Amino acid sequence: MLEKVLFLVLDGLGDRPIKELGGATPLEAAHTPHLDRLAQQGECGMLHTIGRGIRPGSDTAHLTIFGYDKDEFYAGRGPIEAAGIGLELCDGDVALRCNLATVDDDLMILDRRAGRIHAVTPFTTALDGIEIDQVRFLLKPGTAHRAILVMRGPGLSSAITDNDPHEEGVPVRTVMPTDDSPGAKKTADLLNQYVSRAYPILRDHPENQVRGQAGKLPANYLLLRGPGRYRRIPSFQERYGLRACCVAGGGLYKGIAALLGMEVVDVPGATGLPDTDVSGKFRTAVQSLADCDFVFVHVKAADSLGEDGDFVGKRSFIEKVDAAAAAFRDLPDNVLLVILADHTTPCELRAHSADPVPILVHGSGVRVDAVSAYSERACTSGGLGFLTGIDVIPQILNLLGRTPLTGG
Ligand code: ZN
């Protein structure tokens, strides 16, 4: 009887035929005996994660494959990133992603990442907790040059623009409301006041004097993007009765998991980069099945390599994932293994595309189809057919015997 789920998302795994690989995709060209064995013993199909012809972002794709309709539950990137660094948000908070950046005296952007500064805590600490008109500004460090800004107070809106022009050699922008609501105007005004107040504090910060003496660019400005207004989402456990946890390296994925009430398990060596310890993640995931009913494992690098156009690196990384998948050889009989991707990232495009991705399910009692390999080509003839992302959790619940009878 299946009771638990190991849910492995290989980010950006899908691809298109590549001439230099003899017309194969990186997944088809890779030597993947473990994944292929799982495909032979399980049931496969193809997945349009959000819908046919829709190019998914990683955030909306993940929400959808967890059964959360993006139109109802997606509130922008800021709240996800905030949750990813462990911030507890309150209903009505507006969260934004930030860069610590370098500007000149005319507020022209010299470097959007302040010389790729590694640690921003001294700067965020100086600006954390400022209050303007009953709105508190919480600024917390993220990774490298990044930070998260949370505005907490009444009547805020996320209907505002970025102040980040996303390029260098141009002036910073003023935050503007994008609708006529009083909340949007208020939020834009307050953010502009906060950024103006932050600028001299950053410019004159002792840490910037130290950086200057070392020949480094100062971190003297806050560039803001990705505003989102938080509201509580029903947790994965509330919706499905399954206690869930997450094994991931990237903040975005930890953030989505935290927003859905999953416990985020830390794995040393899980970097989200090609050097990530995939074996360590898979071992941790298998161990987590002892305490959790649903273990979400996220592996990032196939997507990044696709965005770099590095099809040889993508093929090698897939082989690394396959070798680590040896950890799934002796899963207990009560575990359903699901392997899928959140979208296709063709090396040729260096961006996400709407092409469907292969999905496989494997476990005791799962039907076995004729598919003999886990790949874009082979899975098109699988027993699951072509699914959309919102169908994935219902399919899983059916295999777990948790689906109520429709009718009598
Ligand atoms: Zn993705």
Side-chain angles (χ1 to χ4, degrees):
M1 177 74 184
L2 293 169
E3 294 171 312
K4 304 205 170 204
V5 182
L6 204 163
F7 192 85
L8 171 60
V9 180
L10 301 170
D11 205 299
L13 175 71
D15 214 299
R16 290 179 179 174
I18 291 169
K19 202 162 57 177
E20 292 87 338
L21 297 179
T25 67
L27 177 60
E28 289 163 1
H31 179 59
T32 53
H34 294 104
L35 294 173
D36 293 344
R37 180 189 59 82
L38 292 165
Q40 286 155 21
Q41 296 173 349
E43 190 171 27
C44 294
M46 296 297 286
L47 182 67
H48 292 275
T49 47
I50 296 185
R52 286 176 187 267
I54 299 175
R55 285 178 61 214
S58 288
D59 45 12
T60 50
H62 275 79
L63 279 178
T64 310
I65 59 180
F66 290 136
Y68 290 74
D69 185 327
K70 70 173 174 49
D71 294 333
E72 188 177 352
F73 294 106
Y74 181 63
R77 188 75 175 252
I80 296 174
E81 298 280 346
I85 61 165
L87 270 176
E88 296 260 346
L89 297 175
C90 302
D91 274 337
D93 284 356
V94 169
L96 301 102
R97 308 171 75 193
C98 304
N99 276 13
L100 270 289
T102 307
V103 297
D104 68 12
D105 292 343
D106 299 320
L107 303 187
M108 294 284 281
I109 299 172
L110 301 178
D111 190 321
R112 288 185 63 250
R113 300 179 183 90
R116 291 200 171 266
I117 186 170
H118 288 306
V120 296
T121 304
F123 302 107
T124 56
T125 302
L127 302 173
D128 185 28
I130 289 177
E131 196 166 317
I132 306 173
D133 289 350
Q134 295 182 309
V135 171
R136 276 195 87 198
F137 290 79
L138 309 172
L139 187 67
K140 306 294 180 188
T143 51
H145 54 276
R146 300 183 194 90
I148 302 292
L149 179 65
V150 175
M151 302 173 70
R152 182 165 295 163
L156 299 173
S157 165
S158 58
I160 52 171
T161 63
D162 301 347
N163 75 345
D164 182 354
H166 299 267
E167 58 181 318
E168 289 160 0
V170 298
V172 300
R173 291 186 179 157
T174 302
V175 179
M176 302 291 290
T178 57
D179 67 21
D180 295 332
S181 67
K185 182 177 184 317
K186 169 181 173 172
T187 308
D189 287 347
L190 288 173
L191 264 180
N192 289 324
Q193 287 182 53
Y194 176 74
V195 170
S196 299
R197 196 185 287 192
Y199 172 53
I201 296 172
L202 292 173
R203 184 190 58 203
D204 302 335
H205 196 287
E207 197 69 26
N208 272 332
Q209 289 171 12
V210 175
R211 288 181 65 79
Q213 284 158 11
K216 294 177 180 171
L217 290 171
N220 62 10
Y221 207 82
L222 288 177
L223 291 178
L224 311 170
R225 64 188 190 282
R229 188 167 184 271
Y230 175 76
R231 79 183 162 81
R232 193 183 166 281
I233 294 178
S235 74
F236 196 86
Q237 184 162 9
E238 284 166 341
R239 276 170 79 102
Y240 309 123
L242 297 170
R243 194 165 163 230
C245 67
C246 157
V247 176
L252 175 65
Y253 311 96
K254 291 180 186 173
I256 291 167
L259 283 182
L260 302 186
M262 297 182 186
E263 182 194 338
V264 178
V265 181
D266 267 329
V267 185
T271 59
L273 302 172
D275 70 353
T276 193
D277 181 1
V278 184
S279 293
K281 277 169 113 165
F282 288 2
R283 276 197 305 274
T284 302
V286 172
Q287 286 161 8
S288 300
L289 288 165
D291 300 320
C292 290
D293 305 314
F294 184 98
V295 180
F296 158 45
V297 193
H298 180 267
V299 177
K300 174 69 179 169
D303 176 55
S304 316
L305 292 161
E307 290 192 336
D308 291 343
D310 181 359
F311 52 84
V312 172
K314 188 168 177 179
R315 179 181 62 184
S316 302
F317 185 74
I318 291 166
E319 291 180 344
K320 179 175 170 176
V321 169
D322 184 80
F328 304 144
R329 204 165 8 202
D330 300 313
L331 286 175
D333 274 352
N334 67 344
V335 176
L336 175 70
L337 175 63
V338 182
I339 302 179
L340 70 167
D342 58 343
H343 52 77
T344 291
T345 307
C347 291
E348 181 194 350
L349 295 186
R350 299 179 177 230
H352 299 186
S353 76
D355 308 65
V357 294
I359 176 171
L360 81 78
V361 294
H362 176 280
S364 168
V366 172
R367 288 180 179 173
V368 178
D369 59 22
V371 174
S372 60
Y374 181 63
S375 72
E376 296 91 335
R377 192 180 309 229
C379 290
T380 54
S381 58
L384 292 174
F386 280 71
L387 304 172
T388 51
I390 208 79
D391 298 327
V392 171
I393 294 291
Q395 294 265 341
I396 289 172
L397 295 176
N398 172 56
L399 290 167
L400 299 187
R402 286 174 165 268
T403 304
L405 189 65
T406 302

